[in-house]
Amino acid sequence: MIQKPKGTYDVYGEMGRKLRYVEQVFSALMDRYDYEYVATPLFEQSNLFHRSVGDSSDIVRKETYDFKDRGDRMMTLRPEGTAGVVRSYIENKMYGDIDLPKKLWYFGSMFRYERPQAGRYREFRQLGVEVLGSPDPMMDAEIISIPVNLFRLLGLEGVKVRINSLGDQESRNAYREALKDYFRPHLGELCHDCNERFETNPLRILDCKVDGNTELMKNAPKMEDYLNEESKKHFEKVKEYLDALNIVYEVNPNLVRGLDYYTHTVFEVEASVEGFGSQNVLCGGGRYDLLVETLDGPHTPAVGFALGIERLLTALDYEELQVGEEKELDIYVIPLSDEDKGYAIGLSQALRLSGFSVDVDSLNRSMKSNFKQADRKHSRFVMIIGESERENNLLTIKDNHTKQEYKVTIDEIIDFLDEHMDSCDCDDCHDREGE
Ligand code: AMP
């Protein structure tokens, strides 16, 4: 038997329902924030990620799925969403739109060759948001508010927001030099990767999973002491706007995030769910004012985030939160014999096009097991199609809530369903209304 590739999973059944629900809630939220949907290719020219995510990042150094296409071009399955969106922004000249800043959201698979474990996959799905064209710290706060409000809408309470500022380029350069001076005498104590990071991107040393919690790390120079006036002002404003939005946050001076392109604000949202384990960062993002220029676009300050769907769904499961309504069917159709099937599917098509959800028995079940099936599907009505129904165009329909049976002509069926679908006198519906 052929099995799925390591680190991937199939979406089906309950998982499919949950995934669609989260996507729908997010999409509706994005409409309220007035963001536009964007979809970019699952693979891009490898260069895009080398130049954006950065050659010094773990993602590009060790985790990309690279391949040569049949035309001998180096391609990479996207490991994250921002690079593709920025490429699209530049290539489609979105910067020329009247409607700026461009406020975009996306949803889709990302691919990283990581060591698979709980909450860490090789194909995983992200919801992401990018705002291109506004330098205003108000947008940093808006971006942070989006995942926070998504979690609120989904009922997920225990989340923590951590923020930091990496400052503008000048501040970052000054900090980089200070870190190098600090770590230089201690290179022998640092892991192999950190020794490489020392040369390529010393900020990353602070993010190291191996050396992360040592005294050496804790006593390292802090970014906030190297922020220039402009950067300090930006960060203060972000905090002020987060207060205005009633968002509780913690400043974590060692938060640097894994990608090379961040400037000013970086943030993470963590699920403080008991028993959740180490992969508890649900969402991360920040400002990337220099990335569009790095990719040959015009100067465009930008800010965004990406949120891992799998971890979000796990957090919802841990909190035992109901994700979406249980699926219900409007009408379950039972053709009594093969001769009745053509009529049954013709009628079902008409009902579906009129807005009702319909399923038709295709396994020639007995009447008893068909009624059981209708119950399993929580079908509101059951419709039986036999010879007499066909010949007289008079349908037999049973209301599964009230258990009442009706005879309705084909011309009146839509009106009948419209009338009965919303109102129900059965005890269950009464109880639900009273809740
Ligand atoms: P990043 O793009 O690394 O900033 O990650 C943003 C979010 O995507 C993380 O907070 C996770 O929720 C999720 N994520 C990143 N890598 C993985 C992975 N390998 N498997 C599952 N989720 C991931």
Side-chain angles (χ1 to χ4, degrees), residues 208-247:
C208 177
K209 290 174 189 102
V210 182
D211 296 327
N213 277 327
T214 58
E215 282 302 304
L216 183 66
M217 289 298 167
K218 286 184 193 143
N219 297 328
K222 300 281 176 267
M223 183 73 228
E224 59 190 328
D225 298 327
Y226 295 84
L227 294 179
N228 59 18
E229 280 313 306
E230 190 66 29
S231 302
K232 268 189 203 153
K233 218 167 93 190
H234 187 97
F235 197 36
E236 286 311 310
K237 279 282 171 198
V238 173
K239 291 190 266 186
E240 192 184 309
Y241 293 137
L242 286 176
D243 291 338
L245 290 168
N246 255 332
I247 293 176

Coordinates of all heavy atoms in Angstrom, one line a residue, residues 208-247:
C208 N 18.0 30.8 19.2 CA 18.5 29.5 19.0 C 17.8 28.5 19.9 O 17.6 28.8 21.1 CB 20.0 29.4 19.3 SG 20.6 27.7 19.2
K209 N 17.4 27.4 19.4 CA 16.6 26.4 20.1 C 17.6 25.6 21.1 O 17.2 25.1 22.1 CB 15.9 25.4 19.2 CG 14.7 26.2 18.5 CD 14.0 25.3 17.5 CE 13.0 26.2 16.7 NZ 13.5 26.6 15.4
V210 N 18.9 25.5 20.7 CA 19.8 24.8 21.5 C 20.3 25.6 22.7 O 20.3 25.2 23.8 CB 21.0 24.3 20.6 CG1 22.0 23.5 21.4 CG2 20.5 23.5 19.4
D211 N 20.8 26.8 22.3 CA 21.5 27.7 23.3 C 20.5 28.6 24.0 O 20.9 29.4 24.9 CB 22.6 28.5 22.7 CG 23.7 27.6 22.1 OD1 24.0 26.6 22.7 OD2 24.3 28.0 21.1
G212 N 19.2 28.6 23.6 CA 18.2 29.6 24.0 C 18.2 30.1 25.4 O 18.0 31.3 25.6
N213 N 18.3 29.1 26.4 CA 18.0 29.6 27.8 C 19.2 29.7 28.7 O 19.0 29.8 29.9 CB 17.0 28.5 28.4 CG 15.6 28.9 28.0 OD1 15.2 30.0 27.8 ND2 14.8 27.8 27.8
T214 N 20.4 29.9 28.1 CA 21.6 30.0 28.9 C 21.7 31.4 29.5 O 21.1 32.3 29.0 CB 22.8 29.6 28.1 OG1 22.9 30.5 27.0 CG2 22.8 28.2 27.6
E215 N 22.6 31.5 30.5 CA 22.8 32.8 31.1 C 23.4 33.8 30.1 O 23.1 34.9 30.1 CB 23.9 32.6 32.3 CG 23.2 32.1 33.6 CD 22.1 33.0 34.1 OE1 22.4 34.2 34.3 OE2 21.0 32.5 34.3
L216 N 24.3 33.2 29.2 CA 24.9 34.0 28.2 C 23.8 34.7 27.3 O 24.0 35.9 27.0 CB 25.8 33.0 27.3 CG 26.6 33.7 26.2 CD1 27.7 34.6 26.8 CD2 27.2 32.6 25.3
M217 N 22.8 34.0 27.0 CA 21.7 34.6 26.2 C 21.0 35.6 27.0 O 20.6 36.7 26.5 CB 20.7 33.5 25.8 CG 21.2 32.5 24.8 SD 21.6 33.3 23.2 CE 22.4 32.0 22.5
K218 N 20.7 35.2 28.2 CA 19.9 36.2 29.1 C 20.6 37.5 29.3 O 20.0 38.5 29.4 CB 19.5 35.5 30.4 CG 18.5 34.4 30.3 CD 18.1 33.9 31.6 CE 17.2 32.6 31.3 NZ 17.5 31.5 32.3
N219 N 21.9 37.5 29.4 CA 22.7 38.7 29.6 C 23.1 39.4 28.3 O 23.8 40.4 28.4 CB 23.9 38.4 30.5 CG 23.5 37.8 31.8 OD1 22.5 38.2 32.3 ND2 24.3 36.9 32.3
A220 N 22.7 38.9 27.2 CA 23.1 39.6 25.9 C 22.5 41.0 25.9 O 21.5 41.3 26.5 CB 22.5 38.7 24.8
P221 N 23.2 41.9 25.1 CA 22.6 43.2 24.9 C 21.2 43.2 24.4 O 20.8 42.2 23.7 CB 23.5 43.8 23.8 CG 24.7 43.0 23.8 CD 24.4 41.6 24.3
K222 N 20.4 44.1 24.9 CA 19.0 44.1 24.5 C 18.7 45.1 23.4 O 19.2 46.2 23.4 CB 18.1 44.6 25.7 CG 18.3 43.6 26.9 CD 17.5 42.4 26.7 CE 17.6 41.4 27.8 NZ 18.7 40.3 27.6
M223 N 17.9 44.7 22.4 CA 17.6 45.5 21.3 C 17.1 46.9 21.7 O 17.5 47.9 21.1 CB 16.5 44.8 20.4 CG 16.1 45.5 19.2 SD 17.3 45.4 17.9 CE 17.5 47.1 17.4
E224 N 16.3 47.0 22.8 CA 15.7 48.3 23.1 C 16.7 49.4 23.4 O 16.5 50.5 23.2 CB 14.7 48.1 24.3 CG 15.3 47.6 25.5 CD 14.3 47.3 26.6 OE1 13.3 47.9 26.7 OE2 14.6 46.3 27.4
D225 N 17.9 48.9 23.8 CA 19.0 49.9 24.1 C 19.6 50.4 22.9 O 20.5 51.3 22.9 CB 20.0 49.3 25.0 CG 19.4 48.9 26.4 OD1 18.5 49.6 26.8 OD2 19.9 47.8 26.9
Y226 N 19.3 49.8 21.7 CA 19.9 50.3 20.5 C 19.0 50.9 19.5 O 19.3 51.2 18.4 CB 20.7 49.1 19.8 CG 21.8 48.6 20.7 CD1 21.6 47.8 21.8 CD2 23.1 49.2 20.5 CE1 22.6 47.4 22.6 CE2 24.1 48.8 21.4 CZ 23.9 47.9 22.4 OH 24.9 47.6 23.3
L227 N 17.7 51.0 19.9 CA 16.7 51.7 19.0 C 17.0 53.1 18.9 O 17.2 53.8 19.9 CB 15.3 51.5 19.6 CG 14.8 50.0 19.6 CD1 13.3 50.0 20.2 CD2 14.8 49.4 18.2
N228 N 17.0 53.7 17.7 CA 17.2 55.1 17.5 C 15.8 55.8 17.8 O 14.8 55.1 18.0 CB 17.7 55.5 16.1 CG 16.8 55.0 15.0 OD1 15.7 54.7 15.2 ND2 17.4 54.9 13.8
E229 N 15.8 57.1 17.8 CA 14.6 57.9 18.2 C 13.4 57.5 17.4 O 12.3 57.2 17.9 CB 14.8 59.4 18.1 CG 15.6 59.9 19.3 CD 15.1 59.5 20.7 OE1 13.8 59.6 20.9 OE2 15.8 58.9 21.5
E230 N 13.6 57.4 16.1 CA 12.5 57.1 15.1 C 11.9 55.7 15.5 O 10.7 55.5 15.5 CB 13.2 57.0 13.7 CG 12.3 56.9 12.6 CD 11.4 58.2 12.4 OE1 11.8 59.3 12.8 OE2 10.3 58.0 11.9
S231 N 12.8 54.7 15.7 CA 12.3 53.4 16.0 C 11.6 53.3 17.4 O 10.6 52.6 17.5 CB 13.5 52.4 16.0 OG 14.2 52.4 14.8
K232 N 12.2 54.0 18.3 CA 11.5 54.1 19.7 C 10.1 54.6 19.6 O 9.2 54.1 20.1 CB 12.3 55.0 20.6 CG 13.4 54.2 21.4 CD 13.9 55.1 22.5 CE 15.3 54.6 22.8 NZ 16.2 55.6 23.3
K233 N 10.0 55.7 18.8 CA 8.7 56.4 18.6 C 7.7 55.4 18.0 O 6.6 55.3 18.4 CB 8.9 57.6 17.7 CG 8.0 58.8 18.2 CD 8.4 60.0 17.5 CE 7.6 60.3 16.2 NZ 8.1 61.4 15.4
H234 N 8.2 54.7 17.0 CA 7.3 53.7 16.3 C 6.8 52.7 17.3 O 5.6 52.4 17.4 CB 8.0 53.0 15.1 CG 7.2 52.2 14.3 ND1 6.6 52.6 13.1 CD2 6.7 50.9 14.4 CE1 5.9 51.6 12.6 NE2 5.9 50.6 13.4
F235 N 7.7 52.1 18.1 CA 7.4 51.1 19.0 C 6.4 51.6 20.1 O 5.4 50.9 20.4 CB 8.6 50.5 19.6 CG 8.4 49.1 20.3 CD1 7.6 48.2 19.7 CD2 9.1 48.8 21.4 CE1 7.4 46.9 20.3 CE2 9.0 47.5 22.0 CZ 8.1 46.6 21.5
E236 N 6.7 52.8 20.6 CA 5.8 53.4 21.6 C 4.4 53.5 21.0 O 3.4 53.2 21.7 CB 6.3 54.7 22.1 CG 7.5 54.7 23.0 CD 7.3 53.7 24.1 OE1 6.3 53.8 24.8 OE2 8.2 52.8 24.3
K237 N 4.3 53.9 19.8 CA 2.9 54.1 19.2 C 2.2 52.8 19.0 O 1.0 52.7 19.3 CB 3.1 54.7 17.8 CG 3.3 56.2 17.8 CD 1.9 56.9 18.0 CE 2.0 58.4 18.3 NZ 0.8 58.9 19.0
V238 N 3.0 51.7 18.6 CA 2.4 50.4 18.5 C 1.7 50.0 19.8 O 0.6 49.6 19.9 CB 3.4 49.3 18.1 CG1 2.8 47.9 18.1 CG2 3.9 49.7 16.7
K239 N 2.5 50.2 20.9 CA 2.0 49.8 22.2 C 0.8 50.6 22.6 O -0.2 50.1 23.2 CB 3.1 50.0 23.3 CG 4.3 48.9 23.0 CD 5.3 48.9 24.2 CE 6.4 49.8 23.9 NZ 7.5 49.7 24.9
E240 N 0.9 51.9 22.3 CA -0.3 52.8 22.6 C -1.6 52.3 21.9 O -2.6 52.3 22.5 CB 0.1 54.2 22.1 CG -0.8 55.3 22.6 CD -0.3 56.6 21.9 OE1 0.9 57.0 22.0 OE2 -1.1 57.3 21.3
Y241 N -1.4 52.0 20.6 CA -2.6 51.5 19.8 C -3.1 50.1 20.3 O -4.3 49.9 20.3 CB -2.3 51.5 18.3 CG -2.0 52.8 17.7 CD1 -1.0 53.0 16.8 CD2 -2.8 53.9 18.1 CE1 -0.7 54.3 16.3 CE2 -2.6 55.2 17.5 CZ -1.6 55.4 16.6 OH -1.3 56.6 16.1
L242 N -2.1 49.3 20.8 CA -2.6 48.0 21.3 C -3.4 48.2 22.6 O -4.4 47.6 22.8 CB -1.4 47.1 21.6 CG -0.7 46.5 20.4 CD1 0.6 45.7 20.8 CD2 -1.6 45.6 19.6
D243 N -3.0 49.2 23.4 CA -3.8 49.6 24.6 C -5.1 50.1 24.2 O -6.2 49.7 24.8 CB -3.0 50.7 25.4 CG -1.8 50.1 26.0 OD1 -1.7 48.9 26.2 OD2 -0.9 50.9 26.4
A244 N -5.2 50.9 23.1 CA -6.5 51.4 22.7 C -7.4 50.3 22.2 O -8.6 50.4 22.3 CB -6.3 52.4 21.5
L245 N -6.8 49.2 21.7 CA -7.6 48.1 21.3 C -7.8 47.0 22.4 O -8.4 46.0 22.2 CB -6.8 47.3 20.1 CG -6.7 48.1 18.8 CD1 -5.7 47.4 17.9 CD2 -8.1 48.1 18.2
N246 N -7.4 47.4 23.6 CA -7.6 46.5 24.7 C -6.9 45.2 24.6 O -7.4 44.1 25.0 CB -9.1 46.2 24.9 CG -9.6 47.0 26.1 OD1 -8.8 47.3 27.0 ND2 -10.9 47.3 26.0
I247 N -5.7 45.2 23.9 CA -5.0 43.9 23.7 C -3.9 43.8 24.7 O -3.0 44.7 24.8 CB -4.5 43.8 22.3 CG1 -5.7 43.7 21.3 CG2 -3.5 42.7 22.1 CD1 -5.4 43.7 19.9

